[in-house]
Amino acid sequence: MTPVDPPAPTPAGLLLAAGAGSRMGMPKALVHDERGSWLERGVEVLRRGGCDPVVVVLGAAPEAADLLDGSVTVVVAEDWADGMGASLRAGLAAVAGLGPAVPSVVVSLVDLPDLVPEVVARVVGGAVGAGAAAGTLARAAYDGVPGHPVLLGRDHWAGVNAAATGDRGARDYLATADVVLVECGDLASGRDVDSR
């Protein structure tokens, strides 16, 4: 009998949805549009893109957890008002708590309305092609401009966590690291609704 290689571990998905959405008039986790809930759609995009498990970080609207099924791990970032860095730190801590079998995490934002599973899958595929998942950094690019989602290999979580302050999230860490850019401009715009 020929031995069968075990399936490659899949990345976790991390959806940051803690913001107050002041420019939208309501917390981002509660926003709906003609296609439904941004929160539920963000989770589904990560799942269908190949992420399992999925962690959601809430903050301004912890009650949004009621929109999600029990298969999603929900974390409330108590210091969410300090900015995206606080949400990212809370999310990375939750993903790390899932155990060493999780080699990487795909970080996405709730306010990316045209993000599709194919973008997530392409970023994950681009990262796998670049080397060992735990040591890899990859991110979607749209017409050459880096954006979300971002794949963070486990080896980088401590560095990202230390650099995640204010609204900068992983930006400063990624600026000093070797990041694989995965072009996705043919699939989505990468537009963040909350950007000015």
Side-chain angles (χ1 to χ4, degrees), residues 13-17 39 43 54-58 68 72-76:
L14 176 56
L15 184 65
L16 304 182
L39 183 64
V43 168
V54 174
V55 174
V56 171
V57 180
L58 299 175
L68 302 171
V72 177
T73 299
V74 176
V75 177
V76 176

Side-chain angles (χ1 to χ4, degrees), residues 80-182:
W80 65 269
D82 292 345
M84 187 191 307
S87 298
L88 182 56
R89 290 191 308 271
L92 286 176
V95 173
L98 297 172
V102 178
S104 57
V105 62
V106 176
V107 181
S108 189
L109 309 177
V110 74
D111 52 3
L112 300 174
D114 75 341
L115 187 65
V116 292
E118 292 80 7
V119 170
V120 176
R122 188 179 287 178
V123 170
V124 170
V128 170
T136 302
L137 291 171
R139 72 185 306 179
Y142 302 92
D143 297 325
V145 178
H148 285 87
V150 178
L151 184 138
L152 305 173
R154 179 178 279 277
D155 296 350
H156 297 279
W157 295 355
V160 168
N161 199 44
T165 59
D167 266 332
R168 298 187 66 80
R171 185 181 314 162
D172 293 341
Y173 184 86
L174 294 171
T176 64
D178 185 18
V179 180
V180 175
L181 287 182
V182 181

Side-chain angles (χ1 to χ4, degrees), residues 26-32 39 61 63-64 67:
M26 71 176 65
K28 295 177 185 182
L30 298 177
V31 175
H32 286 70
L39 183 64
E63 67 274 18
L67 297 171

Side-chain angles (χ1 to χ4, degrees), residues 15 37-51 54 56 68-69 71-72 115-118 120:
L15 184 65
S37 161
W38 285 8
L39 183 64
E40 292 172 288
R41 189 164 62 235
V43 168
E44 186 65 13
V45 164
L46 286 169
R47 278 188 179 145
R48 290 183 46 219
C51 299
V54 174
V56 171
L68 302 171
D69 65 38
S71 68
V72 177
L115 187 65
V116 292
E118 292 80 7
V120 176

